Amino acid sequence: MYILDTCAFLTQNHPKGEIATISEIESELNNRQSKQYFTNMREIGLKIREPKVDSIDKIRINSKETGDLSVLSSIDVKILALAYEIHGIIVSDDFAIQNVALYMGVEFTSCSGNEIKELRKWKYRCSACRAEALEKVDSCSVCGSEKIFRFKVK
């Protein structure tokens, strides 16, 4: 089963076969065409599923390990959790989603053909004092600077 992220509805491009998504996806559709495509797909068999809390927790833990948690929306986390839970294939152009999927051994493909080729792990660094953190913070715990950026570790 293919688990569709927002890109599938925006581009109207996804693999053929059994498809599903989560109910909140509809809130990310920002134009008439993608909303109509979502409605049409529901009428011809798009399944709306919700992941279990345990699966969502597992995604949060793993995305924290890769450093992607702060860039994933709650919808992204649920899409990943559903694919993980039912052993589905995620259809997403989002590199953070793809990165966590790769880390967890969840299959993925993209709407555009743009897929990550290697796993990346991320950390955060203060641009003033260069202190590092595993999670995104609003300000540096060492010097107080608010200029924190994400950088690739691996």
Side-chain angles (χ1 to χ4, degrees), residues 117-135:
K117 304 293 184 235
E118 64 182 11
L119 178 67
R120 299 236 169 134
K121 290 204 174 183
W122 303 93
K123 283 188 179 179
Y124 295 86
R125 180 178 290 146
C126 173
S127 62
C129 73
R130 303 193 51 83
E132 294 182 4
L134 294 174
E135 295 180 41

Side-chain angles (χ1 to χ4, degrees), residues 94-131:
D94 186 312
F95 289 159
I97 288 177
Q98 292 180 15
N99 196 52
V100 175
L102 182 62
Y103 183 69
M104 295 182 67
V106 174
E107 271 189 83
F108 63 87
T109 189
S110 76
C111 299
S112 64
N114 294 326
E115 296 178 2
I116 64 171
K117 304 293 184 235
E118 64 182 11
L119 178 67
R120 299 236 169 134
K121 290 204 174 183
W122 303 93
K123 283 188 179 179
Y124 295 86
R125 180 178 290 146
C126 173
S127 62
C129 73
R130 303 193 51 83

Side-chain angles (χ1 to χ4, degrees), residues 14-94:
H14 54 82
K16 304 281 185 247
E18 195 174 4
I19 54 175
T21 194
I22 60 171
S23 59
E24 292 97 330
I25 278 292
E26 193 170 12
S27 70
E28 290 194 335
L29 305 179
N30 56 12
N31 62 48
R32 193 176 75 235
Q33 293 86 357
S34 59
K35 290 176 183 180
Q36 185 61 53
Y37 189 70
F38 178 83
T39 300
N40 293 347
M41 295 308 294
R42 291 231 21 213
E43 290 173 3
I44 62 170
L46 171 67
K47 292 175 177 46
I48 303 298
R49 309 261 313 255
E50 298 303 323
K52 295 176 183 163
V53 174
D54 290 350
S55 299
I56 292 170
D57 291 343
K58 182 90 169 167
I59 297 303
R60 285 194 177 117
I61 290 166
N62 281 273
S63 61
K64 188 175 177 181
E65 290 174 9
T66 65
D68 289 303
L69 182 59
S70 66
V71 297
L72 293 173
S73 69
S74 62
I75 291 173
D76 295 339
V77 169
K78 286 184 177 181
I79 287 288
L80 277 158
L82 182 58
Y84 169 77
E85 186 176 300
I86 67 169
H87 307 288
I89 302 168
I90 295 177
V91 180
S92 179
D93 284 343
D94 186 312

